[in-house]
Amino acid sequence: GFAQPLVPGTTFYPGVTRPQVNEFGLHGTWKVTSESSTAQSAGAYVIGSFQAAHVYLVLTSTGNLPRTVKVLLDGKPISAREAGADVRPGGLVTVRGQRLYSLVSAPTDITGTIKLLVPPKVSAYDFTFG
């Protein structure tokens, strides 16, 4: 669930600093619909706390143009050991077409906070955990 209520339309969200496990929050200006949230401002991010070995998120980029999302785990760029298949060195993910992106792939379950720095025109849909 979300720490703050999501409002349909374009809204500025102040974000959360310490989400509880399975709680998420947006920061920055986002356009929220019934299906997705699309970053509208530079500096936008989504943050959440989880307990799992694998974290996935459906993402897309407007016009299928390549845009870069940065993945932070516990405040630092995700390490190669815990990075999902779509994460390059430095915690970078190139988002193009709509699909499920593998963000975290730890050897075992971990409890952590994931923060995704999302540029304008990138949309997020649903997190999945494993």
Side-chain angles (χ1 to χ4, degrees), residues 50-55 73 81-82 104-112 129-130:
F50 68 93
Q51 182 176 2
H54 304 281
V55 178
L73 183 61
R81 179 173 185 225
E82 296 169 321
V104 176
S105 187
T108 61
D109 276 6
I110 60 173
T111 299
F129 304 92

Side-chain angles (χ1 to χ4, degrees), residues 37-100:
S37 298
T38 304
Q40 301 293 302
S41 64
Y45 65 81
V46 59
I47 187 170
S49 184
F50 68 93
Q51 182 176 2
H54 304 281
V55 178
Y56 307 92
L57 179 60
V58 176
L59 296 163
T60 193
S61 174
T62 301
N64 292 331
L65 295 174
R67 293 183 172 87
T68 303
V69 170
K70 186 165 189 172
V71 180
L72 304 176
L73 183 61
D74 297 327
K76 298 177 244 173
I78 191 166
S79 70
R81 179 173 185 225
E82 296 169 321
D86 292 303
V87 181
R88 297 186 326 270
L92 303 178
V93 176
T94 301
V95 176
R96 287 186 181 88
Q98 183 177 336
R99 69 177 179 83
L100 188 69

